[in-house]
Amino acid sequence: IAMENGRKLLPPLVESMQSFSKAAIIAHLIELGYSDEELCEQVEKSLKEMEDNPANNMYVITNKKLMYGASVILYTNVLPLLYEKHGPLYVIPSSTQELIAMPKGGVSPEEVLEIVKEVNGSDQVSDQEYLADSVYSYTFPLGLKQVL
């Protein structure tokens, strides 16, 4: 019952890192008081910088309220749907607020772990929201397995 209620009250949200970042950039710039013209210029600049970024293959997994979104890992349908679309995945418990998933293709678990450590070591993740410097592998039907 708790799982069913969780899905109803906090439905999952899966977005590309680029889309998720764009929304965050816009919200932050609005907070800072940028004009519409300045806002457009800054968003365009930020998106251009992201074009060749490996984050383009990453997905943010959270819930519609963007609160304690890492709990979405307990929803049995989210990772299988991503697997169906992209094949084997790396899953990164980036914070209590969200998970990050990315297709395995062409990236080693060690490279992913370096990204995790870099992000977790910066001011992007607070001590209260920090989960782990870990990388998991997801395949269907085997599920999640810690690789590093």
Side-chain angles (χ1 to χ4, degrees):
I1 293 176
M3 291 293 287
E4 195 174 306
N5 287 339
R7 273 189 224 121
K8 286 179 186 173
L9 297 172
L10 300 168
L13 173 69
V14 179
E15 280 197 39
S16 70
M17 180 69 80
Q18 192 169 18
S19 294
F20 197 80
S21 296
K22 181 179 176 182
I25 291 166
I26 291 170
H28 181 67
L29 294 176
I30 289 171
E31 259 181 41
L32 294 174
Y34 278 65
S35 70
D36 287 347
E37 188 177 313
E38 292 171 318
L39 187 66
C40 289
E41 287 173 17
Q42 287 298 323
V43 169
E44 203 171 297
K45 179 183 171 189
S46 296
L47 290 177
K48 188 148 184 76
E49 289 170 2
M50 292 173 68
E51 279 178 5
D52 296 325
N53 192 324
N56 289 339
N57 293 324
M58 293 182 177
Y59 292 86
V60 176
I61 304 171
T62 186
N63 60 50
K64 298 271 184 181
K65 291 195 177 192
L66 307 177
M67 294 178 56
Y68 302 107
S71 63
V72 171
I73 200 167
L74 300 172
Y75 299 1
T76 56
N77 61 337
V78 175
L79 290 175
L81 288 172
L82 271 174
Y83 175 84
E84 191 176 297
K85 186 173 181 180
H86 299 286
L89 304 165
Y90 289 120
V91 178
I92 305 161
S94 67
S95 75
T96 57
Q97 305 306 331
E98 74 270 330
L99 304 168
I100 306 295
M102 63 185 290
K104 282 187 170 183
V107 182
S108 73
E110 291 79 14
E111 291 171 305
V112 176
L113 183 61
E114 285 306 311
I115 294 168
V116 171
K117 287 181 176 180
E118 184 179 313
V119 171
N120 285 344
S122 71
D123 61 354
Q124 294 180 40
V125 178
S126 72
D127 291 343
Q128 295 80 12
E129 294 178 350
Y130 169 81
L131 286 177
D133 288 338
S134 299
V135 177
Y136 293 81
S137 172
Y138 179 83
T139 55
F140 186 82
L142 298 175
L144 278 175
K145 175 184 176 188
Q146 186 171 358
V147 290
L148 289 176

